[in-house]
Amino acid sequence: MIKSTYLEAITSGLREEMVRDENVFCLGEDIGAYGGAFKVTQGLLDEFGEDRVMDTPLAESAIIGAAMGAALMGMRPVAEMQFADFITTGFNQLVNNAAKTYYRWGAKVPMVVRCPSGLLPNAGPFHAQNPEAWFFRVPGLKIVAPSTPYDAKGLLKAAIRDNNPVLYFEHKDLYRDKAISQELPSDDFIVPIGEAFIRRPGVDITIISYGKMVHKSLEAAELLSEDGIEVEVLDLRSLLPFDKNMILESVKKTSRLLIVHEDTLTGGIGGEMAAIIADEAFEFLDAPIRRVAAIDTPIPFSSPLESYFLPNTEKIVIALRDLAAY
Amino acid sequence: MRIEIVMPKLGESVMEGTVARWLKEVGAPVARDESVLEISTDKIDTDVPAIESGILTEILIAEGTTVSVGETLGIITTDGEEVLVETDNIDEQKPDQERSPVINIHVNQEDIAISTIIPPSRDRFYSPLVRRIARQEHVSHHELDTIHGTGINGRVTKNDLLGYLKVQTKESSSTEKPLRSDQEMNRPYDLNVADITTMNNVRMSIAEHMVRSKRISPHVTSVSEVDMTDLVRYREKVKEAFLKKEGFKLTLTPFFISAIVDALRKNPIINASLDGDNIVMWKHVNFGMAVGLDKGVVVPVIQHAEAMNFLGLARSAFDLATRAHARRLSVDEIQGGTFTLTNPGMWGTLFGTPIINQPEVGILATGAVKKRLEVMEDETMAIRSIMMMSLSYDHRLVDGLNAARFTESVTQNLEIFDYDQIGL
């Protein structure tokens, strides 16, 4: 069987859902003839026509607002942000409109906003952010962030079928990463929203991570294993709602926790994870809860600054060793 | 090389000590075995010597500060190393104030955004998990303090505690109640509390030790009567001369010790210990004598008592008791006992049922000497000085017969004392 990249898995998920349900359609900047900035929607225009693969003006407020309107009318739109960074101009449409409509008026808003996020080399402050935390505190939204092709496809299909607005964060640096490509099942499958996954079982330290940092965490865990320290790597997959039970179970087993995310530290999702563990598993902790994240600055352009800014395997290893020695 | 000067463990019950005085300043050279500082504990004041020659480069604990056993007090840097004298690190805090933890975290904070929660360590930090396991397994805080920690700054990790519990379970295959002195009492509703204070370390240690001893050893206590008439008369007769000659009062204690040491030599099974499945017979009689202090009991030990004559025992007992009251005993002097004498008779107690001082297998308590009307062998009546004497023994090792032979021997030694050996 042919292995799928993360990007191919997303495309495949989109295609399958569009075939399955004629209410599913895509809209976004240059997603039609151009195939999207990252070519996720390449080929879909030819297959489904311009009514279902719609190019839009450069206006995220309009894209998200139109998607919401379509969703209210019974469609299942999948809106593409060219870069997740640009979602801010559609912030009101998401946070005040889409997120609150079901609560306020009882109307379902089954829409997906695809957000290509994360750092590609030398992308600078406006094309490489991980803005999931901006939405993490908004009741009414769902957020997913797959780390593998299987999850990318399964979570996208689950998001499209979900009756709530779902933000789908796809990491740009994973798109064409051959190292993580997978053979995918040929049958129709989904990955349920809200379920985490243990990527690597361990007994000594738990890492909670998501997106690309799952792979960096796995590399670090492999290195620690050489010292006899077995690190459990928990891939959140869904950020909102997140799998609290699995997190608690893992931490209760290992008693030590490291949270790793590519987003900047302050106000990141890691803070909430730490708070929940401190609240509900305090008496199971044998060490302080630690976080490895990007430093609290805009994303630098230059390569040396970039590596200084970003979390990486080495920084995770340092934090793990520190925790193990605690 | 950096050599740490640590708070020594001054006996089983002492868990913390106070830095009384630094005898050397930072930067001063110290020779091996030379005293570097004076420390003071509940039981003993003593000097701490340097274990290597070098330069005292750091003083970490200020005078007047109390820290746990094992904590680093200062650093000696040995020759051949670049000596960097740092004075900034000295803990300047005043006595009796909480010492802020000196914690070095070796995380490159600039390179990496790691948030660190520094433990609010007072004496020794225990993580929430360690505390929870300790609670569930009935390990008292005091017992926790004795566990060796492999974590940062000697912290007791989950694995340290679980390892400790594993060994404990192995050691005590019995299903008896867990050892603890911190058991909560079931307080009747109509009891009004006057005051609640935490036990001090000595008290806690004694409490632990008592519970442990009762759990380890099945105690049997036998009581005998001793006719002390001759001995009391003899003492009355010679006490002035003795005081003049020796400079201290002749009490009954050296008679007791002398009689018991002889009986121990004749009944070596009482001068023994159990170590797992092994019976350890001790070569020497290291005679422990309980001395009551305000803070608790201390048991100084007359080492190799079997090699001393009466005067030697008397002098040694007087010296140890005097220094026990002055808290000037050395560590060696309160360790290594093989048998213990306690004398509640001093305060009029008729007899006691003492608890064995582990790992010994016997403890003898002498009661008050009372004048009584006695029926003698020839069926005449006489006023005699009678003392009750009780021996508690570990019935695992010592049978009733052994115990009876031993107490019989002590009784005979006291009733028919060999006064010639006193040399007065």
Side-chain angles (χ1 to χ4, degrees), chain B residues 49-83:
Chain B
I51 56 169
E52 287 291 342
S53 299
I55 306 240
L56 180 65
T57 46
E58 282 178 57
I59 289 179
L60 299 171
I61 306 298
E63 289 178 2
T65 307
T66 302
V67 297
S68 301
V69 166
E71 203 156 323
T72 306
L73 306 173
I75 303 288
I76 291 172
T77 305
T78 55
D79 299 341
E81 288 279 319
E82 189 188 348
V83 175

mmCIF file of all heavy atoms in Angstrom, chain B residues 49-83:
data_model
loop_
_atom_site.group_PDB
_atom_site.id
_atom_site.type_symbol
_atom_site.label_atom_id
_atom_site.label_comp_id
_atom_site.label_asym_id
_atom_site.label_seq_id
_atom_site.Cartn_x
_atom_site.Cartn_y
_atom_site.Cartn_z
ATOM 1 N N PRO B 49 34.807 17.841 63.018
ATOM 2 C CA PRO B 49 36.146 17.972 62.462
ATOM 3 C C PRO B 49 36.136 17.945 60.939
ATOM 4 O O PRO B 49 35.191 17.463 60.324
ATOM 5 C CB PRO B 49 36.860 16.744 63.009
ATOM 6 C CG PRO B 49 35.779 15.724 63.181
ATOM 7 C CD PRO B 49 34.487 16.465 63.401
ATOM 8 N N ALA B 50 37.204 18.456 60.349
ATOM 9 C CA ALA B 50 37.362 18.395 58.893
ATOM 10 C C ALA B 50 37.763 16.987 58.504
ATOM 11 O O ALA B 50 38.606 16.380 59.165
ATOM 12 C CB ALA B 50 38.444 19.379 58.456
ATOM 13 N N ILE B 51 37.155 16.452 57.447
ATOM 14 C CA ILE B 51 37.528 15.100 57.046
ATOM 15 C C ILE B 51 38.711 15.113 56.078
ATOM 16 O O ILE B 51 39.316 14.079 55.833
ATOM 17 C CB ILE B 51 36.346 14.310 56.451
ATOM 18 C CG1 ILE B 51 35.722 15.067 55.275
ATOM 19 C CG2 ILE B 51 35.297 14.013 57.500
ATOM 20 C CD1 ILE B 51 34.742 14.211 54.500
ATOM 21 N N GLU B 52 39.013 16.288 55.541
ATOM 22 C CA GLU B 52 40.205 16.419 54.702
ATOM 23 C C GLU B 52 40.840 17.777 54.993
ATOM 24 O O GLU B 52 40.165 18.704 55.417
ATOM 25 C CB GLU B 52 39.843 16.361 53.210
ATOM 26 C CG GLU B 52 39.447 14.987 52.686
ATOM 27 C CD GLU B 52 40.598 13.990 52.649
ATOM 28 O OE1 GLU B 52 41.777 14.423 52.693
ATOM 29 O OE2 GLU B 52 40.316 12.776 52.601
ATOM 30 N N SER B 53 42.123 17.885 54.722
ATOM 31 C CA SER B 53 42.771 19.191 54.836
ATOM 32 C C SER B 53 42.417 20.040 53.625
ATOM 33 O O SER B 53 42.250 19.521 52.525
ATOM 34 C CB SER B 53 44.288 19.017 54.889
ATOM 35 O OG SER B 53 44.625 18.242 56.009
ATOM 36 N N GLY B 54 42.324 21.326 53.826
ATOM 37 C CA GLY B 54 41.998 22.212 52.718
ATOM 38 C C GLY B 54 41.668 23.599 53.232
ATOM 39 O O GLY B 54 42.154 24.012 54.282
ATOM 40 N N ILE B 55 40.842 24.272 52.450
ATOM 41 C CA ILE B 55 40.449 25.632 52.821
ATOM 42 C C ILE B 55 38.940 25.647 53.006
ATOM 43 O O ILE B 55 38.202 25.075 52.188
ATOM 44 C CB ILE B 55 40.819 26.622 51.693
ATOM 45 C CG1 ILE B 55 42.300 26.476 51.360
ATOM 46 C CG2 ILE B 55 40.417 28.040 52.060
ATOM 47 C CD1 ILE B 55 43.172 27.633 51.527
ATOM 48 N N LEU B 56 38.495 26.257 54.080
ATOM 49 C CA LEU B 56 37.050 26.406 54.268
ATOM 50 C C LEU B 56 36.571 27.488 53.298
ATOM 51 O O LEU B 56 36.839 28.669 53.489
ATOM 52 C CB LEU B 56 36.734 26.801 55.714
ATOM 53 C CG LEU B 56 35.243 26.997 56.025
ATOM 54 C CD1 LEU B 56 34.476 25.686 55.874
ATOM 55 C CD2 LEU B 56 35.046 27.557 57.419
ATOM 56 N N THR B 57 35.923 27.062 52.229
ATOM 57 C CA THR B 57 35.572 28.029 51.185
ATOM 58 C C THR B 57 34.142 28.533 51.277
ATOM 59 O O THR B 57 33.815 29.563 50.713
ATOM 60 C CB THR B 57 35.775 27.412 49.785
ATOM 61 O OG1 THR B 57 35.215 26.120 49.777
ATOM 62 C CG2 THR B 57 37.242 27.347 49.436
ATOM 63 N N GLU B 58 33.290 27.778 51.943
ATOM 64 C CA GLU B 58 31.898 28.244 52.040
ATOM 65 C C GLU B 58 31.320 27.886 53.390
ATOM 66 O O GLU B 58 31.511 26.776 53.883
ATOM 67 C CB GLU B 58 31.031 27.587 50.951
ATOM 68 C CG GLU B 58 31.182 28.184 49.581
ATOM 69 C CD GLU B 58 30.326 27.429 48.555
ATOM 70 O OE1 GLU B 58 29.113 27.331 48.752
ATOM 71 O OE2 GLU B 58 30.920 26.937 47.583
ATOM 72 N N ILE B 59 30.610 28.831 53.967
ATOM 73 C CA ILE B 59 29.804 28.543 55.150
ATOM 74 C C ILE B 59 28.352 28.696 54.700
ATOM 75 O O ILE B 59 27.926 29.777 54.294
ATOM 76 C CB ILE B 59 30.135 29.511 56.303
ATOM 77 C CG1 ILE B 59 31.519 29.177 56.867
ATOM 78 C CG2 ILE B 59 29.074 29.433 57.383
ATOM 79 C CD1 ILE B 59 31.975 30.097 57.996
ATOM 80 N N LEU B 60 27.629 27.602 54.716
ATOM 81 C CA LEU B 60 26.261 27.628 54.172
ATOM 82 C C LEU B 60 25.213 27.819 55.255
ATOM 83 O O LEU B 60 24.117 28.285 55.001
ATOM 84 C CB LEU B 60 25.980 26.335 53.404
ATOM 85 C CG LEU B 60 26.900 26.099 52.191
ATOM 86 C CD1 LEU B 60 26.705 24.707 51.633
ATOM 87 C CD2 LEU B 60 26.632 27.134 51.111
ATOM 88 N N ILE B 61 25.548 27.424 56.461
ATOM 89 C CA ILE B 61 24.574 27.523 57.544
ATOM 90 C C ILE B 61 25.135 28.447 58.621
ATOM 91 O O ILE B 61 26.225 28.229 59.147
ATOM 92 C CB ILE B 61 24.281 26.127 58.145
ATOM 93 C CG1 ILE B 61 23.849 25.136 57.045
ATOM 94 C CG2 ILE B 61 23.208 26.226 59.229
ATOM 95 C CD1 ILE B 61 22.585 25.498 56.316
ATOM 96 N N ALA B 62 24.369 29.468 58.920
ATOM 97 C CA ALA B 62 24.842 30.465 59.870
ATOM 98 C C ALA B 62 24.719 29.956 61.299
ATOM 99 O O ALA B 62 23.953 29.034 61.583
ATOM 100 C CB ALA B 62 24.040 31.751 59.703
ATOM 101 N N GLU B 63 25.472 30.564 62.173
ATOM 102 C CA GLU B 63 25.414 30.200 63.588
ATOM 103 C C GLU B 63 24.006 30.410 64.122
ATOM 104 O O GLU B 63 23.328 31.372 63.777
ATOM 105 C CB GLU B 63 26.411 31.060 64.387
ATOM 106 C CG GLU B 63 27.856 30.683 64.092
ATOM 107 C CD GLU B 63 28.853 31.565 64.842
ATOM 108 O OE1 GLU B 63 28.428 32.438 65.619
ATOM 109 O OE2 GLU B 63 30.070 31.369 64.632
ATOM 110 N N GLY B 64 23.582 29.500 64.947
ATOM 111 C CA GLY B 64 22.253 29.622 65.544
ATOM 112 C C GLY B 64 21.156 28.993 64.714
ATOM 113 O O GLY B 64 20.010 28.939 65.135
ATOM 114 N N THR B 65 21.505 28.494 63.524
ATOM 115 C CA THR B 65 20.489 27.909 62.649
ATOM 116 C C THR B 65 20.429 26.396 62.848
ATOM 117 O O THR B 65 21.457 25.738 62.948
ATOM 118 C CB THR B 65 20.817 28.221 61.180
ATOM 119 O OG1 THR B 65 21.001 29.622 61.060
ATOM 120 C CG2 THR B 65 19.685 27.779 60.271
ATOM 121 N N THR B 66 19.221 25.882 62.908
ATOM 122 C CA THR B 66 19.016 24.450 63.111
ATOM 123 C C THR B 66 18.681 23.788 61.787
ATOM 124 O O THR B 66 17.828 24.268 61.050
ATOM 125 C CB THR B 66 17.866 24.229 64.109
ATOM 126 O OG1 THR B 66 18.209 24.883 65.329
ATOM 127 C CG2 THR B 66 17.664 22.746 64.375
ATOM 128 N N VAL B 67 19.384 22.718 61.472
ATOM 129 C CA VAL B 67 19.140 22.007 60.211
ATOM 130 C C VAL B 67 19.081 20.504 60.467
ATOM 131 O O VAL B 67 19.502 20.019 61.514
ATOM 132 C CB VAL B 67 20.235 22.303 59.159
ATOM 133 C CG1 VAL B 67 20.237 23.762 58.784
ATOM 134 C CG2 VAL B 67 21.593 21.867 59.654
ATOM 135 N N SER B 68 18.544 19.789 59.469
ATOM 136 C CA SER B 68 18.422 18.339 59.585
ATOM 137 C C SER B 68 19.773 17.663 59.472
ATOM 138 O O SER B 68 20.692 18.189 58.847
ATOM 139 C CB SER B 68 17.534 17.792 58.469
ATOM 140 O OG SER B 68 16.289 18.366 58.532
ATOM 141 N N VAL B 69 19.824 16.471 60.027
ATOM 142 C CA VAL B 69 21.005 15.629 59.893
ATOM 143 C C VAL B 69 21.261 15.367 58.410
ATOM 144 O O VAL B 69 20.332 15.099 57.662
ATOM 145 C CB VAL B 69 20.785 14.305 60.651
ATOM 146 C CG1 VAL B 69 21.834 13.277 60.261
ATOM 147 C CG2 VAL B 69 20.805 14.551 62.151
ATOM 148 N N GLY B 70 22.501 15.478 58.000
ATOM 149 C CA GLY B 70 22.844 15.197 56.607
ATOM 150 C C GLY B 70 22.911 16.441 55.749
ATOM 151 O O GLY B 70 23.407 16.402 54.628
ATOM 152 N N GLU B 71 22.419 17.538 56.266
ATOM 153 C CA GLU B 71 22.436 18.753 55.455
ATOM 154 C C GLU B 71 23.859 19.344 55.411
ATOM 155 O O GLU B 71 24.610 19.254 56.375
ATOM 156 C CB GLU B 71 21.461 19.774 56.020
ATOM 157 C CG GLU B 71 21.031 20.771 54.967
ATOM 158 C CD GLU B 71 19.691 21.406 55.294
ATOM 159 O OE1 GLU B 71 18.806 20.735 55.813
ATOM 160 O OE2 GLU B 71 19.567 22.595 55.026
ATOM 161 N N THR B 72 24.181 19.936 54.261
ATOM 162 C CA THR B 72 25.518 20.496 54.103
ATOM 163 C C THR B 72 25.642 21.799 54.882
ATOM 164 O O THR B 72 24.821 22.694 54.750
ATOM 165 C CB THR B 72 25.804 20.745 52.614
ATOM 166 O OG1 THR B 72 25.566 19.531 51.913
ATOM 167 C CG2 THR B 72 27.245 21.178 52.399
ATOM 168 N N LEU B 73 26.694 21.865 55.699
ATOM 169 C CA LEU B 73 26.887 23.049 56.532
ATOM 170 C C LEU B 73 27.891 24.005 55.910
ATOM 171 O O LEU B 73 27.790 25.213 56.067
ATOM 172 C CB LEU B 73 27.388 22.624 57.916
ATOM 173 C CG LEU B 73 26.540 21.575 58.650
ATOM 174 C CD1 LEU B 73 27.234 21.130 59.919
ATOM 175 C CD2 LEU B 73 25.172 22.138 58.975
ATOM 176 N N GLY B 74 28.852 23.432 55.218
ATOM 177 C CA GLY B 74 29.890 24.256 54.622
ATOM 178 C C GLY B 74 30.709 23.416 53.653
ATOM 179 O O GLY B 74 30.478 22.217 53.503
ATOM 180 N N ILE B 75 31.639 24.065 52.985
ATOM 181 C CA ILE B 75 32.440 23.371 51.972
ATOM 182 C C ILE B 75 33.924 23.587 52.270
ATOM 183 O O ILE B 75 34.351 24.716 52.523
ATOM 184 C CB ILE B 75 32.150 23.930 50.556
ATOM 185 C CG1 ILE B 75 30.657 23.823 50.211
ATOM 186 C CG2 ILE B 75 33.015 23.240 49.506
ATOM 187 C CD1 ILE B 75 30.154 22.431 49.933
ATOM 188 N N ILE B 76 34.654 22.486 52.233
ATOM 189 C CA ILE B 76 36.109 22.584 52.304
ATOM 190 C C ILE B 76 36.636 22.242 50.919
ATOM 191 O O ILE B 76 36.253 21.230 50.334
ATOM 192 C CB ILE B 76 36.679 21.602 53.345
ATOM 193 C CG1 ILE B 76 36.291 22.048 54.750
ATOM 194 C CG2 ILE B 76 38.203 21.508 53.206
ATOM 195 C CD1 ILE B 76 36.634 21.046 55.817
ATOM 196 N N THR B 77 37.473 23.113 50.380
ATOM 197 C CA THR B 77 38.092 22.819 49.093
ATOM 198 C C THR B 77 39.508 22.354 49.353
ATOM 199 O O THR B 77 40.279 23.026 50.046
ATOM 200 C CB THR B 77 38.086 24.067 48.199
ATOM 201 O OG1 THR B 77 36.736 24.527 48.111
ATOM 202 C CG2 THR B 77 38.583 23.734 46.810
ATOM 203 N N THR B 78 39.816 21.158 48.827
ATOM 204 C CA THR B 78 41.119 20.577 49.135
ATOM 205 C C THR B 78 42.190 21.153 48.230
ATOM 206 O O THR B 78 41.904 21.772 47.202
ATOM 207 C CB THR B 78 41.092 19.045 48.988
ATOM 208 O OG1 THR B 78 40.621 18.742 47.678
ATOM 209 C CG2 THR B 78 40.164 18.429 49.994
ATOM 210 N N ASP B 79 43.433 20.948 48.616
ATOM 211 C CA ASP B 79 44.573 21.519 47.902
ATOM 212 C C ASP B 79 44.592 21.053 46.457
ATOM 213 O O ASP B 79 44.084 20.013 46.111
ATOM 214 C CB ASP B 79 45.880 21.121 48.586
ATOM 215 C CG ASP B 79 45.897 21.658 50.003
ATOM 216 O OD1 ASP B 79 45.115 22.591 50.280
ATOM 217 O OD2 ASP B 79 46.663 21.135 50.819
ATOM 218 N N GLY B 80 45.292 21.847 45.639
ATOM 219 C CA GLY B 80 45.445 21.477 44.245
ATOM 220 C C GLY B 80 44.280 21.913 43.394
ATOM 221 O O GLY B 80 44.248 21.686 42.206
ATOM 222 N N GLU B 81 43.312 22.527 44.000
ATOM 223 C CA GLU B 81 42.166 23.012 43.251
ATOM 224 C C GLU B 81 42.199 24.528 43.266
ATOM 225 O O GLU B 81 42.725 25.158 44.179
ATOM 226 C CB GLU B 81 40.877 22.547 43.918
ATOM 227 C CG GLU B 81 40.602 21.071 43.770
ATOM 228 C CD GLU B 81 39.996 20.741 42.434
ATOM 229 O OE1 GLU B 81 39.131 21.501 41.980
ATOM 230 O OE2 GLU B 81 40.398 19.727 41.845
ATOM 231 N N GLU B 82 41.608 25.073 42.270
ATOM 232 C CA GLU B 82 41.470 26.516 42.280
ATOM 233 C C GLU B 82 40.474 26.880 43.371
ATOM 234 O O GLU B 82 39.343 26.430 43.376
ATOM 235 C CB GLU B 82 40.945 26.985 40.929
ATOM 236 C CG GLU B 82 40.976 28.484 40.780
ATOM 237 C CD GLU B 82 40.280 28.934 39.511
ATOM 238 O OE1 GLU B 82 39.989 28.076 38.669
ATOM 239 O OE2 GLU B 82 40.022 30.124 39.388
ATOM 240 N N VAL B 83 40.928 27.666 44.300
ATOM 241 C CA VAL B 83 40.064 27.981 45.428
ATOM 242 C C VAL B 83 39.397 29.327 45.203
ATOM 243 O O VAL B 83 40.045 30.345 45.044
ATOM 244 C CB VAL B 83 40.876 27.999 46.733
ATOM 245 C CG1 VAL B 83 39.994 28.438 47.885
ATOM 246 C CG2 VAL B 83 41.447 26.621 46.994
#
